[in-house]
Amino acid sequence: MKKMGLNEVREAYLSFFESKNHLRLSSFSLIPQGDKSLLLINAGMAPLKPYFTGLQVPPSKRITTCQKCIRTGDIDNVGKTSRHGTFFEMLGNFSFGDYFKEEVIPWAWEFVTEVLQIPKDKLYVTIYLEDDEAYDIWCKSTDIDPSRIFRLGKEDNFWEIGQGPCGPCSEIHYDRGNGKVNTLEDFIKAAEEDRIVEFWNLVFTQFDKDEEGIYHKLPNPNIDTGMGLERIATIMQGVNSIFEVDTIKSILDEVCRISNSKYGEDYNKDVSIRIITDHVRSMTFMICDGVLPSNEGRGYVLRRILRRAARHGRLLGISKTFLYNLCETVINASKGAYGELEEKREYIKKVIKLEEERFEETIDSGIQILKDFICELEHKGTNTLSGSNAFKLYDTYGFPLELTLEILEEKGFKVDVEGFNHEMKNQRERARAAREQSNYMGSEESILDKISVDLNTDFVGYQNLACNSVVELLIKEDEFIKSLNSGEKGIIITRETPFYAEMGGQVGDKGIIYGHNFKAEVLDCKKNVSGKILHFVNVLEGSVETGCNVSLEVDKNRRDNIRKNHTATHILHKALKLVLGDHVNQAGSYVDSLRLRFDFTHFSEVSYEELKKIEDIVNENIMKVYNVVTDVMTIDEAKQSGAVALFDEKYQDEVRVVSVGDFSKELCGGTHVQNSGEIGLFKIVSESGVAAGIRRIEAVTGFNALSFIEEKNNLLKEAAAALRCSEKDLINKINLELVELKEKEKEIIELRRKLVGSVEEEVLNSLREIKGIKFIAASLKDIDSDSLRNLADKIRDRITDGVVVLGSSFEGRVQFVAMASKSVLNKGVHCGKIVKEIAAIAGGGGGGRPDMAQAGGKLVEKLDEAIGSVEAILESLVK
């Protein structure tokens, strides 16, 4: 058997199927596109769902991929075994109604036995027990020994999820033991004992299961195969664990070096080493594809993985941040196949480092919270931490359950693990409910998904803003119709259109569609999942029918403003890189006729000086009146030319490259000005943070920028008029006013001090006694909380032993303060209880310590009543 590295196996597989006329596609992003049923791509066929359903036409009927995948369903087993992992690569070859069993079975055998050179006496095949066709092909089209083919039931060899496309499958297995397995019972036993391992599943999607459970034959059956790259690599390298595969072992070895540990000597240490090794692969690829740590969705998955790895670093004795350096090993091992890892190296490291540092802070906070829980348990005389408190530590502070268990066990306490699992189950159900349920192929079908794939609209809007065409299809609500009448809203699909459909952050065009005795307002223009251009209209007059001739006109002024804003985002993107650094990448954008919004990767607030530089660079390049040129080329040619591409986007074979002179060059399908001078003026309106590591700039261009500047000028004029000075003296005038204001504030403070001093004696005259305790309760006016507190402090000192309760109305609210001498506390006096009761009378609340407490209230008219209740409250408290 040929010994092959993981990267070598990947290339051999993809090259083999290319030789069988398959189109090799690079891995799709881990972030699903248009599939709300998934947080992260978890299987090789997941990104190809629209091709299987016919919602989209595949670029080829034969495709082969190596797809990055993340699965966290059994994350708790990762590390505990040598087989489980959260990140893996899935090799696959797919047929969309082209070839079927007759081709794929011999190809699979050829690849396994001739390319990989796995000995035939080490291989077994399983098929669905009723699939005689597959059995015959295995026997007639390959030279496998028929006694090595076993039939299994639906549970093992039939692929289906609810209703929809499904079918039998055939799996290829490798025998790691010695001697031949002769019976089905022995085969099942060997598989359970992990002697025999499955490594390639060939799914024959040939049925469509309806609501009643009846299987209907598909007219064009599909092929969907999946082979785990890491698993086949273990076979090719003669190792028993994915952690011993060359590329993964290089990471594991680095973990051992950093932690000064030796793998294979201590089970608990091995668990931590494996967890870190696996998780650093996941986090590196997730961040590269645009996932950022957060408290929800896929960001939460990343945060959990990263913090789990960081925590196990601590268990291995690594006291400092280390994952951001460890990811270098992952990048070096995989950058040949995934060039974006090298492109985003510094960005990936920065994101990991920031999250590691944040975890350092939260884990220390978590330990303090846990100490408080322990004190509470000791006070209550119980030995079990509740599941809800353990989950709070986990969910809020990223504190793994095993760490909570470990610390509590050292102190002689336990955790209600069942209660913790119940909280975890509730959280998972909430997360599942938040995601849209789906059938086998993604989101449920709507009328828009039933539009024939053969219906195409030719977009002519790059060159023309008007054209004549024919109505191909009309939709109203949830059905196809023959006509759309005055006053009705619906969707029109035409043979040609100049209307740009919303895409790439650019909004859809608006305008009119008209014909003989017919006129409709185009409210929006979008695409469905298969790329059909939909005009959302409101019929203003007459009626339109399928097959009739119409004219389409885009709102030119609106399109012009959109084009200005879109080209400005390209110039802005380059300016951001020049000022802030190459780590800046587009993380989202929105372009309409009024403004532009540009999200980008950056890790701190952009300073005023930096924003000024960015704005100046954009305007400088606008004023250079660069020609804006669009070239159509292959994706490889585009990248070689230096064009900026988004790695989480999937591009067609041919792409549009938009160049703004020699300043900016990006892949883009949007509409743009002909030269940068058309933009006129660029003005940044705001800069803000929208997520961890993501900043946002909002800006305006052209006449909208002039309007923005005019608004600012008007504000200046109004401010100058209000302060009775010229605009150039505005700052000096404001500074003078501030100085005067501070002087006035000092005067007010001094007057309040004198006022408080004048009432001190008056308040002391209200001294009374109850059950041998001196007390004063008084209501005042126009005294702020600080002055009230100072007054209460002075009076308490003067009466020596006793209680002072004061209330004051100030600026429409009520404030209370209560203070007591230490000597009366053992008689039952508690200031916190006093203010809580009196504040409730005034429509408020508060509390505090036995010797001092504060509160507030809303009902000024209840002040005297509240202060009048103090005597009765004190009487009830004093023993």
Side-chain angles (χ1 to χ4, degrees), residues 35-59:
D35 186 351
K36 295 179 181 178
S37 68
L38 294 175
L39 277 181
L40 294 156
I41 293 298
N42 61 2
M45 60 72 60
L48 306 175
K49 288 178 183 179
Y51 301 151
F52 281 108
T53 58
L55 292 178
Q56 290 182 10
V57 177

Side-chain angles (χ1 to χ4, degrees), residues 415-613:
V415 176
D416 176 10
V417 177
E418 188 175 330
F420 175 90
N421 290 335
H422 178 71
E423 295 286 342
M424 178 68 82
K425 181 183 175 186
N426 288 342
Q427 187 206 55
R428 284 174 178 158
E429 286 174 355
R430 287 193 297 272
R432 196 176 296 118
R435 295 203 299 276
E436 293 186 15
Q437 293 299 311
S438 74
N439 60 19
Y440 158 67
M441 291 301 181
S443 57
E444 298 295 339
E445 273 195 331
S446 73
I447 189 71
L448 301 181
D449 299 325
K450 294 176 182 176
I451 299 171
S452 170
V453 292
D454 297 325
L455 177 61
N456 290 306
T457 300
D458 183 18
F459 175 64
V460 298
Y462 288 125
Q463 299 83 20
N464 306 300
L465 294 183
C467 76
N468 297 319
S469 190
V470 177
V471 175
E472 296 279 13
L473 198 65
L474 296 170
I475 299 172
K476 181 185 174 187
E477 294 174 349
D478 201 32
E479 62 179 337
F480 299 119
I481 54 174
K482 293 293 184 185
S483 65
L484 201 58
N485 303 312
S486 178
E488 294 181 334
K489 289 185 177 180
I491 295 169
I492 297 177
I493 300 176
T494 57
R495 199 171 293 165
E496 297 88 17
T497 183
F499 284 81
Y500 182 85
E502 180 180 334
M503 185 174 59
Q506 179 177 325
V507 296
D509 282 329
K510 293 183 179 182
I512 59 169
I513 299 177
Y514 61 93
H516 182 64
N517 296 325
F518 158 74
K519 185 177 181 181
E521 176 187 12
V522 179
L523 305 172
D524 202 353
C525 189
K526 296 177 181 286
K527 287 184 178 182
N528 72 348
V529 69
S530 59
K532 309 308 175 192
I533 298 176
L534 317 171
H535 305 92
F536 291 80
V537 303
N538 175 31
V539 181
L540 301 175
E541 57 188 62
S543 66
V544 60
E545 298 179 351
T546 55
C548 72
N549 296 316
V550 292
S551 297
L552 301 95
E553 289 184 11
V554 172
D555 181 334
K556 183 179 183 303
N557 287 337
R558 185 174 180 274
R559 167 74 84 85
D560 284 346
N561 288 331
I562 292 170
R563 292 189 302 124
K564 290 172 185 176
N565 285 335
H566 200 152
T567 306
T569 62
H570 285 221
I571 302 173
L572 172 61
H573 192 184
K574 183 60 180 289
L576 285 165
K577 284 180 176 287
L578 289 174
V579 175
L580 303 178
D582 281 337
H583 66 276
V584 168
N585 282 300
Q586 182 175 336
S589 68
Y590 176 83
V591 176
D592 64 18
S593 60
L594 300 176
R595 64 193 172 108
L596 66 91
R597 186 179 74 210
F598 192 81
D599 295 346
F600 57 98
T601 52
H602 189 56
F603 305 96
S604 60
E605 183 179 352
V606 183
S607 70
Y608 172 80
E609 291 76 17
E610 289 170 328
L611 285 174
K612 181 74 171 61
K613 276 186 192 175

Side-chain angles (χ1 to χ4, degrees), residues 37 68 122 133 169 199 231 253 280 349 359 480 500 614 621 665 725 729 755 812 866:
S37 68
K68 300 170 288 187
K122 286 286 186 180
E133 181 185 20
C169 57
F199 64 89
R231 185 173 293 188
D253 289 343
V280 76
K349 290 180 66 179
F359 181 56
F480 299 119
Y500 182 85
I614 291 161
N621 285 281
K665 183 180 284 190
C725 67
D729 291 330
L755 176 63

Side-chain angles (χ1 to χ4, degrees), residues 371-424:
K371 285 179 181 176
D372 292 342
F373 285 154
I374 290 170
C375 289
E376 194 178 312
L377 292 174
E378 289 172 341
H379 180 71
K380 290 180 178 177
T382 182
N383 71 339
T384 305
L385 181 71
S386 70
S388 60
N389 280 339
F391 185 75
K392 180 182 177 183
L393 281 165
Y394 167 80
D395 197 42
T396 307
Y397 298 98
F399 223 67
L401 177 63
E402 59 262 31
L403 181 56
T404 303
L405 285 164
E406 184 181 316
I407 293 172
L408 286 173
E409 283 173 6
E410 289 172 1
K411 305 286 184 182
F413 295 97
K414 298 184 294 184
V415 176
D416 176 10
V417 177
E418 188 175 330
F420 175 90
N421 290 335
H422 178 71
E423 295 286 342
M424 178 68 82

Side-chain angles (χ1 to χ4, degrees), residues 249-261:
K249 188 174 184 299
S250 68
I251 305 165
L252 184 143
D253 289 343
E254 184 64 9
V255 175
C256 291
R257 188 191 68 78
I258 294 169
S259 63
N260 198 27
S261 304

